[in-house]
Amino acid sequence: MTSNFSSTAWRPLLTGALRRSALEAVREIAASLPSHIKRAETDDSLASGKSGLAVTYAYLAQSGIGNNRETAEYLNRARQLISSATRQMSSEVMAPSLHCGFTGAAWSLTHLQREFFGFRGLDRKRKPSRALDEALCQDSASADYDLIDGLVGLGVYALERLPDPAAADCLNRIVDQLAVRAVYQKGGITFATQSSRSSALKSNNNQTNYYDLGVAHGIAGVIGLLAAVCSAGVAYEKARALLNETVKWLISQKMESNVRGCFPYFVGPGIRRKRARLAWCYGDAGIAAVLLVAARSVKNSSWEREALRIAQGAARRRADKAGIVDAGLCHGSAGLGHIFNRIFQATGTTWSQKAGWFWFTHALDQRRSGEGVGGFLSYTRDDKNQSLWTEEIGLLEGAAGIALALLAAASSLAPSWDRVLLLSPATNNSGTPRKTLTP
């Protein structure tokens, strides 16, 4: 069984008692978020602040899990949050980062306007276009290229804005800048990251650059963007040439598969290869999911077979070898559940379905009613590298993202929001909202 990641084909992964537990957790998170939002009034970002929360509330409103009063409240909160975030975006100096800056607020507004009729009345701001132009005029050698903070993230926003001619122009320039940044090696094309970006490499005085393999900060993210650009028919020849060689290079970096996976965090001269944990941001699961979307986007069957081999190996990985500590989207169990749910929706395979069940069960087992945000705490480390459990509300590492993943697993509402993670194809480019969002 296959699908084309179509929103009309989306079906709940979870059933019975597990589905009921998931929806209960979603409702508890939704009820808990308002008291925590007040503590984060100054954070307008997509990853951890109001922009991401607006997306979460909009999907809660559309899902139908609440009664009329709750649905109206979800919708009202979504509008208030995105309005507040975009007001701040137009008055404050913010970095051009998709997940941590004004580009994420702009993406959230554009996404909600595109997906839901209920957001058609919100005005688009002019500042993002001007500021993105300035960001793209930076020296490409010094700019980050990644999804979280760099060129790939700017491209994800531009894709959401299509068919706007300015967005197509932006994508053309991003492809040109990626071509300038490309490092040609025997195994294909890669992209270098300054070693100062990684605490693991800061002490290596002889190492100035390295090659990051992950989705969040590395090569897999470039693959996801280039495939989406090809699918959109923008700068096709240039983007496809880069894409082919970048996929070739990434696959050449596979280590012999074992119980801890086959992809390292990063590679480079003199760097010991350390197998990555199982996550979206780094490692086999995220790489496989993005490669599968890329394969479907450009209709490459050999890439699809490779993606499914990697994903199947990740599905067999034991929990005690996965490096999973909390439940967040970025590197937690709900994020893994969502990845395998995406693969299941695309392929209908039993192994992906069972892996999704396993990791969502793992996420729900971490819930402690009355603690954290809706029962969930997030794991981090402080400046002294000491373990720390915190109350995180955000989309990427906090309760909002957990709620979105659980909602996608327990409902028939397609999670188009995960385009911001490169886990689903780019928009249909029509610019026409697909759903009416009403109380």
Side-chain angles (χ1 to χ4, degrees):
M1 183 188 304
T2 62
S3 82
N4 193 26
F5 295 92
S6 169
S7 60
T8 58
W10 194 266
R11 56 201 188 280
L13 173 77
L14 306 181
T15 58
L18 189 55
R19 178 176 181 270
R20 290 192 293 273
S21 294
L23 291 175
E24 179 184 325
V26 172
R27 292 188 185 98
E28 187 170 343
I29 291 171
S32 179
L33 278 174
S35 63
H36 294 273
I37 292 173
K38 295 176 182 177
R39 307 176 194 174
E41 282 297 322
T42 60
D43 188 346
D44 300 301
S45 73
L46 174 61
S48 58
K50 287 182 280 188
S51 298
L53 293 171
V55 172
T56 303
Y57 273 116
Y59 276 82
L60 287 172
Q62 182 63 25
S63 69
I65 68 167
N67 56 37
N68 288 343
R69 179 188 60 79
E70 290 168 331
T71 297
E73 182 179 334
Y74 295 154
L75 181 55
N76 186 49
R77 287 190 181 279
R79 286 173 169 155
Q80 289 177 342
L81 286 162
I82 197 62
S83 294
S84 176
T86 51
R87 278 198 305 272
Q88 294 296 105
M89 175 182 70
S90 63
S91 62
E92 291 184 356
V93 176
M94 298 174 68
S97 162
L98 177 63
H99 279 264
C100 305
F102 68 78
T103 307
W107 183 92
S108 299
L109 174 59
T110 303
H111 179 73
L112 294 180
Q113 289 177 321
R114 182 178 291 282
E115 291 293 307
F116 304 121
F117 280 108
F119 284 87
R120 293 295 281 176
L122 293 177
D123 293 331
R124 292 177 185 264
K125 303 295 181 181
R126 293 183 179 180
K127 182 179 178 182
S129 295
R130 292 200 305 270
L132 286 176
D133 286 342
E134 293 172 4
L136 288 169
C137 288
Q138 293 179 34
D139 177 8
S140 61
S142 62
D144 292 326
Y145 74 83
D146 68 337
L147 170 64
I148 297 293
D149 292 317
L151 291 172
V152 172
L154 301 186
V156 168
Y157 169 55
L159 284 165
E160 201 71 19
R161 287 175 54 205
L162 289 175
D164 185 338
D169 178 64
C170 180
L171 288 170
N172 262 294
R173 286 187 286 161
I174 287 170
V175 172
D176 286 342
Q177 289 211 23
L178 287 173
V180 171
R181 292 285 300 270
V183 177
Y184 291 80
Q185 296 186 346
K186 185 178 180 179
I189 288 175
T190 185
F191 298 84
T193 304
Q194 295 295 317
S195 61
S196 59
R197 288 296 304 269
S198 172
S199 59
L201 296 178
K202 285 178 181 177
S203 61
N204 188 344
N205 296 325
N206 297 322
Q207 183 66 41
T208 57
N209 294 312
Y210 68 102
Y211 306 108
D212 188 310
L213 274 63
V215 178
H217 293 291
I219 309 307
V222 176
I223 288 170
L225 175 68
L226 289 173
V229 171
C230 289
S231 181
V234 179
Y236 181 87
E237 296 298 332
K238 292 183 292 184
R240 187 60 190 268
L242 286 172
L243 175 64
N244 290 346
E245 292 300 303
T246 307
V247 171
K248 179 182 174 183
W249 184 90
L250 179 63
I251 293 174
S252 74
Q253 303 308 308
K254 282 178 60 180
M255 304 164 70
E256 185 176 348
S257 183
N258 68 15
V259 295
R260 294 187 182 275
C262 58
F263 279 103
Y265 289 97
F266 36 72
V267 299
I271 296 176
R272 182 177 67 85
R273 296 191 173 207
K274 180 181 179 182
R275 296 176 194 269
R277 61 187 170 189
L278 199 61
W280 165 77
C281 52
Y282 285 97
D284 296 7
I287 289 172
V290 170
L291 184 57
L292 177 59
V293 176
R296 292 284 179 92
S297 296
V298 299
K299 299 179 173 59
N300 188 306
S301 59
S302 65
W303 294 357
E304 178 164 344
R305 288 192 295 271
E306 183 63 38
L308 293 177
R309 279 194 293 268
I310 298 165
Q312 209 164 354
R316 290 193 294 266
R317 195 156 164 186
R318 288 170 19 197
D320 63 343
K321 303 296 184 183
I324 296 298
V325 180
D326 59 13
L329 279 182
C330 184
H331 44 258
S333 46
L336 287 177
H338 185 69
I339 284 172
F340 286 113
N341 188 12
R342 265 292 175 193
I343 294 171
F344 170 67
Q345 301 290 338
T347 66
T349 50
T350 301
W351 58 264
S352 59
Q353 181 184 49
K354 289 181 176 179
W357 291 342
F358 175 85
W359 286 111
F360 279 122
T361 300
H362 192 282
L364 291 167
D365 285 346
Q366 293 174 294
R367 180 177 167 228
R368 299 290 182 269
S369 187
E371 296 183 14
V373 185
F376 291 97
L377 289 165
S378 299
Y379 178 83
T380 187
R381 289 184 177 275
D382 61 19
D383 294 339
K384 297 180 180 179
N385 204 32
Q386 298 296 310
S387 299
L388 188 67
W389 288 93
T390 61
E391 297 180 345
E392 297 291 336
I393 62 174
L395 185 150
L396 192 60
E397 297 186 20
I402 296 170
L404 283 172
L406 290 170
L407 186 65
S411 74
S412 57
L413 178 62
S416 300
W417 53 264
D418 68 3
R419 290 199 288 266
V420 82
L421 304 178
L422 296 172
L423 292 178
S424 56
T427 171
N428 61 14
N429 304 330
S430 69
T432 303
R434 293 200 303 264
K435 311 175 187 77
T436 301
L437 191 59
T438 56

